[in-house]
Amino acid sequence: MPDYTQSTSLNSNRIIDTPTGLSDEMKQAMAQLPTPSLDAVKANSPSTQDQWLEQIHMVNTQQKKKVKAMRKHFNVSVELMSVAGVNVRKVTPTHISTCFEDKVYIDFHGGAYVFFSGLPSIEEGILLASRLGIVVYCVDYRMPPSSPFPKALDDAFTAYCHLKDNYGAHNIFVGGTSAGGGLALSLLQKLKQQNIELPIAVYAGTPWADLTNTSDSLLINEGVDRILVSYQGLLHAAATLYAGKYSLTEPGVSPLYGDFTGLPPVILVSGTRDLFLSDTVRVNRKLRECAVRTQLEVFEGLSHADYLVAHNTLESLAVYKEIKQFFLTAISTQ
Amino acid sequence: MPDYTQSTSLNSNRIIDTPTGLSDEMKQAMAQLPTPSLDAVKANSPSTQDQWLEQIHMVNTQQKKKVKAMRKHFNVSVELMSVAGVNVRKVTPTHISTCFEDKVYIDFHGGAYVFFSGLPSIEEGILLASRLGIVVYCVDYRMPPSSPFPKALDDAFTAYCHLKDNYGAHNIFVGGTSAGGGLALSLLQKLKQQNIELPIAVYAGTPWADLTNTSDSLLINEGVDRILVSYQGLLHAAATLYAGKYSLTEPGVSPLYGDFTGLPPVILVSGTRDLFLSDTVRVNRKLRECAVRTQLEVFEGLSHADYLVAHNTLESLAVYKEIKQFFLTAISTQ
């Protein structure tokens, strides 16, 4: 493993104020959730299967509580099903938008390819279902330590193909945040490669599109991003665990290194403090170089996936409003 | 003046590598131009008229050499004229794009509202004229120390109105980088307020849209942005000098605080290391909240206006290609 100490240790004692230009709700949300110290994050690097399982259990237990409360608050119905052997939860909101009556959205959850299996996998699905007014299928794809790459992509592929046969690709949107955004992009590249009909449009929320350590924001926003804090420690360990015997630059693992030609329109979301800001903008540029229609939205002062973590904020509402609008435009220009 | 020492001193000794994801040309350009130290930039705060004039003379003399070389290299013709009393340079490229035959672009140069009057004012105009294939009018608006706000806006307004009478608003694009981007946005707000017909579309390159010290990237990218380096020192001094007896939050000075309703489509450009990244994304969000069509492009690892400073790069070519495409789309949806 390379030594990143010199170039990144300089942020370790940084005192960072809350950004001025945030909504009051976001400021409050930031104040409520303590940010782990950079040193603690860097030191957290599980190596044995037991260490991983313990940490995954701890994180998922906490997240399950949040998601149960969200399920109740947003009053969605959740149906667990097997889609050609893949665990999927169908999330149905109380109100379906007229324009989305015959449409569905397939969601891939985040969690660095290790966290948020089971009920936690529907966190963003709940928001998308409720705020867009659309039926959402949340894919509970297999993950390490038991199932490294390409199991997650296999499951994403299987679920998409099966739902496509049911609904037709012209009625499907796909997307996700963080690892889920990366997985959605890898899925699209694989579908394209195999000449399988593509969905209408894609949502890539701060996608983990490059699992190596080359994105500039991994350096610049280290110790600045309150959610991920650093690539070192957990993220690097998760990247290695997920890739398994594959290279981190394998397009299925890091879609940034894949071919974006011929993809449907993609909306991308990030924040100025996001550790994956560079992943997001690099994907945007690659897409545009391939003449893919994109919309990039970067939010002032937001760290990685803040719009999802702190969903009760104006910033979060704005994100899902943009996604809805983008999807509507994609339908009208199909 | 507030004491920013605590929150910003932490970057002062930072060692920052060149971003990995840049083109070779951009890496080379970055290596060639030495970045001033954070301490030196902070300490540079002209206060007397003589100090300002000396610094302006020094900067403009150097820039004049660059622009003369560019004028030759891009083989544009430059005609100095008075447009209703305002100094304007008409820049005509060797080749005009068919789609822009009856169109013109009005450019407002950057330079923190103090630098780049005279020949240096056509730097970006040369690139826009050549790369878009369009006639460009570069407005050499009045600036401090002799002419603080609202003289620059008055000149922008006069030049626009006069050129509008000649060409028709439906044949005009406007824009600029940095202070020029901010001035273009303030102009649009003023035109809208006075019910004057608006141009087809606007280019706001890393606009200095908020001259106060609230944008988060002023903190996060301090000592990271190789071009501006810090808000403290020169930028703060220039902001105060420009605003004169007006508040820094006066919309004519800082368009972020103005009303964006009803503006024509705006394309915005920034970089992940840009000190004005937050200015750019905050303007983008305000515009979108007002239902204005926008396109935000953020480039990996670029500091403030790197696409203009280092114009012989793939990143720079990509910026002007996006602007051209955006303008063409704006014409077709007029």
Side-chain angles (χ1 to χ4, degrees):
Chain A
M1 183 175 159
D3 174 22
Y4 305 115
T5 320
Q6 192 194 24
S7 57
T8 55
S9 63
L10 301 144
N11 267 333
S12 56
N13 296 314
R14 230 168 158 203
I15 301 157
I16 300 171
D17 297 329
T18 306
T20 310
L22 298 177
S23 70
D24 290 341
E25 295 89 342
M26 187 58 84
K27 281 179 189 162
Q28 209 177 327
M30 286 189 180
Q32 276 165 2
L33 188 76
T35 301
S37 82
L38 181 53
D39 289 343
V41 170
K42 282 183 181 178
N44 177 20
S45 187
S47 54
T48 68
Q49 172 138 336
D50 280 354
Q51 284 172 350
W52 273 114
L53 292 177
E54 189 187 347
Q55 186 150 167
I56 290 166
H57 177 72
M58 194 181 67
V59 171
N60 283 1
T61 302
Q62 201 180 346
Q63 187 72 354
K64 208 182 257 182
K65 288 183 198 156
K66 183 186 179 190
V67 171
K68 278 184 178 173
M70 286 174 69
R71 188 176 57 183
K72 196 174 167 187
H73 174 78
F74 287 97
N75 196 22
V76 293
S77 79
V78 180
E79 184 188 347
L80 177 61
M81 55 179 68
S82 167
V83 171
V86 179
N87 281 339
V88 171
R89 284 171 184 79
K90 182 180 179 182
V91 179
T92 309
T94 49
H95 173 76
I96 305 271
S97 301
T98 314
C99 47
F100 292 144
E101 265 170 2
D102 52 358
K103 306 282 184 272
V104 297
Y105 172 93
I106 306 177
D107 187 70
F108 304 103
H109 68 86
Y113 292 115
V114 287
F115 301 125
F116 304 155
S117 69
L119 191 65
S121 68
I122 67 169
E123 183 187 18
E124 189 161 28
I126 293 173
L127 295 180
L128 286 155
S130 305
R131 292 181 174 168
L132 273 64
I134 192 168
V135 169
V136 175
Y137 287 93
C138 300
V139 182
D140 195 357
Y141 53 84
R142 283 170 294 169
M143 294 190 293
S146 60
S147 305
F149 180 82
K151 298 297 182 194
L153 185 54
D154 288 346
D155 287 356
F157 184 79
T158 302
Y160 175 82
C161 290
H162 192 85
L163 290 165
K164 177 187 71 65
D165 291 343
N166 280 1
Y167 289 97
H170 61 286
N171 285 322
I172 296 179
F173 301 102
V174 306
T177 280
S178 196
L183 186 56
L185 293 168
S186 289
L187 168 65
L188 267 284
Q189 292 174 348
K190 184 171 173 166
L191 293 172
K192 178 76 194 165
Q193 215 170 19
Q194 302 202 8
N195 287 315
I196 294 168
E197 218 185 332
L198 301 174
I200 310 165
V202 184
Y203 155 52
T206 175
W208 200 13
D210 182 0
L211 273 60
T212 75
N213 189 21
T214 57
S215 272
D216 197 45
S217 57
L218 298 180
L219 170 63
I220 304 304
N221 283 339
E222 183 178 60
V224 168
D225 182 315
R226 75 187 189 103
I227 304 290
L228 294 179
V229 185
S230 178
Y231 174 80
Q232 293 176 71
L234 190 80
L235 277 186
H236 178 72
T240 314
L241 185 73
Y242 176 62
K245 60 185 181 184
Y246 290 83
S247 161
L248 288 177
T249 57
E250 163 78 30
V253 173
S254 296
L256 188 77
Y257 300 98
D259 179 14
F260 289 99
T261 315
L263 260 54
V266 181
I267 178 167
L268 302 113
V269 178
S270 185
T272 60
R273 290 192 175 192
D274 189 352
L275 204 68
F276 293 172
L277 172 62
S278 290
D279 279 49
T280 310
V281 307
R282 289 168 82 198
V283 167
N284 178 59
R285 289 306 314 155
K286 287 247 173 181
L287 286 164
R288 297 197 68 87
E289 281 163 15
C290 295
V292 176
R293 190 166 75 75
T294 68
Q295 180 184 334
L296 172 66
E297 291 298 319
V298 179
F299 284 75
E300 166 72 340
L302 293 202
S303 295
H304 183 69
D306 254 333
Y307 57 85
L308 173 57
V309 175
H311 62 258
N312 192 23
T313 56
L314 293 179
E315 288 84 351
S316 181
L317 288 170
V319 166
Y320 298 98
K321 192 180 163 193
E322 292 290 354
I323 297 170
K324 183 174 184 176
Q325 191 53 54
F326 189 80
F327 284 0
L328 289 175
T329 306
I331 291 174
S332 70
T333 56
Q334 248 177 323
Chain B
M1 183 175 158
D3 174 22
Y4 305 116
T5 319
Q6 193 194 24
S7 59
T8 54
S9 63
L10 302 144
N11 266 334
S12 55
N13 296 315
R14 228 166 160 206
I15 302 157
I16 299 171
D17 297 329
T18 306
T20 310
L22 298 176
S23 71
D24 289 342
E25 296 90 342
M26 187 57 83
K27 281 180 189 164
Q28 209 178 329
M30 287 188 180
Q32 276 166 1
L33 189 75
T35 302
S37 82
L38 181 53
D39 288 344
V41 170
K42 282 183 180 178
N44 177 20
S45 187
S47 54
T48 68
Q49 172 138 339
D50 281 352
Q51 285 172 349
W52 273 114
L53 292 177
E54 189 187 346
Q55 186 150 170
I56 290 166
H57 178 72
M58 193 181 68
V59 171
N60 284 359
T61 303
Q62 200 179 348
Q63 187 72 356
K64 207 182 257 183
K65 288 182 199 159
K66 182 186 180 188
V67 171
K68 277 184 178 173
M70 285 174 69
R71 186 176 59 183
K72 195 173 168 190
H73 174 78
F74 288 97
N75 196 22
V76 293
S77 80
V78 180
E79 184 189 349
L80 176 61
M81 55 179 67
S82 168
V83 171
V86 179
N87 281 339
V88 171
R89 284 172 184 78
K90 181 180 178 183
V91 179
T92 309
T94 48
H95 172 76
I96 304 270
S97 302
T98 315
C99 46
F100 291 144
E101 265 171 0
D102 51 358
K103 306 283 183 272
V104 296
Y105 172 93
I106 306 177
D107 187 71
F108 304 103
H109 68 86
Y113 292 114
V114 286
F115 301 125
F116 304 155
S117 69
L119 191 65
S121 68
I122 67 167
E123 183 188 18
E124 190 162 27
I126 293 174
L127 295 181
L128 286 155
S130 305
R131 291 182 175 168
L132 272 63
I134 192 168
V135 169
V136 175
Y137 287 93
C138 300
V139 182
D140 195 356
Y141 52 85
R142 283 169 295 170
M143 295 190 293
S146 60
S147 305
F149 180 83
K151 298 296 182 198
L153 185 55
D154 288 347
D155 287 355
F157 184 80
T158 302
Y160 175 82
C161 289
H162 192 85
L163 290 165
K164 176 187 72 66
D165 291 344
N166 280 2
Y167 290 97
H170 61 286
N171 285 323
I172 296 180
F173 301 100
V174 306
T177 281
S178 196
L183 185 57
L185 293 169
S186 289
L187 168 65
L188 267 283
Q189 291 173 349
K190 184 172 173 164
L191 294 171
K192 176 77 195 167
Q193 214 170 20
Q194 302 203 9
N195 286 316
I196 294 168
E197 219 185 333
L198 302 172
I200 310 166
V202 184
Y203 155 53
T206 176
W208 200 14
D210 181 1
L211 273 59
T212 74
N213 189 20
T214 58
S215 273
D216 196 46
S217 58
L218 297 180
L219 169 62
I220 304 302
N221 283 339
E222 184 179 56
V224 168
D225 183 314
R226 75 187 189 103
I227 304 291
L228 294 179
V229 186
S230 177
Y231 173 82
Q232 294 175 71
L234 189 81
L235 277 185
H236 179 72
T240 315
L241 185 74
Y242 176 61
K245 60 185 181 185
Y246 290 83
S247 161
L248 288 178
T249 58
E250 163 77 31
V253 174
S254 295
L256 188 77
Y257 300 98
D259 179 15
F260 289 99
T261 315
L263 259 55
V266 182
I267 179 167
L268 302 113
V269 177
S270 184
T272 60
R273 291 192 176 192
D274 188 352
L275 204 68
F276 293 172
L277 172 62
S278 290
D279 280 49
T280 310
V281 307
R282 289 167 81 198
V283 167
N284 178 58
R285 289 305 314 154
K286 289 247 175 185
L287 286 164
R288 297 197 68 86
E289 281 163 16
C290 295
V292 175
R293 190 166 76 75
T294 68
Q295 179 182 335
L296 172 66
E297 292 298 318
V298 179
F299 284 75
E300 166 72 341
L302 293 202
S303 295
H304 183 69
D306 254 333
Y307 57 85
L308 173 57
V309 175
H311 63 257
N312 191 22
T313 57
L314 294 179
E315 288 83 352
S316 181
L317 288 169
V319 166
Y320 298 98
K321 192 180 161 193
E322 291 290 353
I323 297 170
K324 182 173 183 177
Q325 191 54 53
F326 189 80
F327 284 0
L328 288 175
T329 305
I331 291 174
S332 70
T333 56
Q334 250 177 322

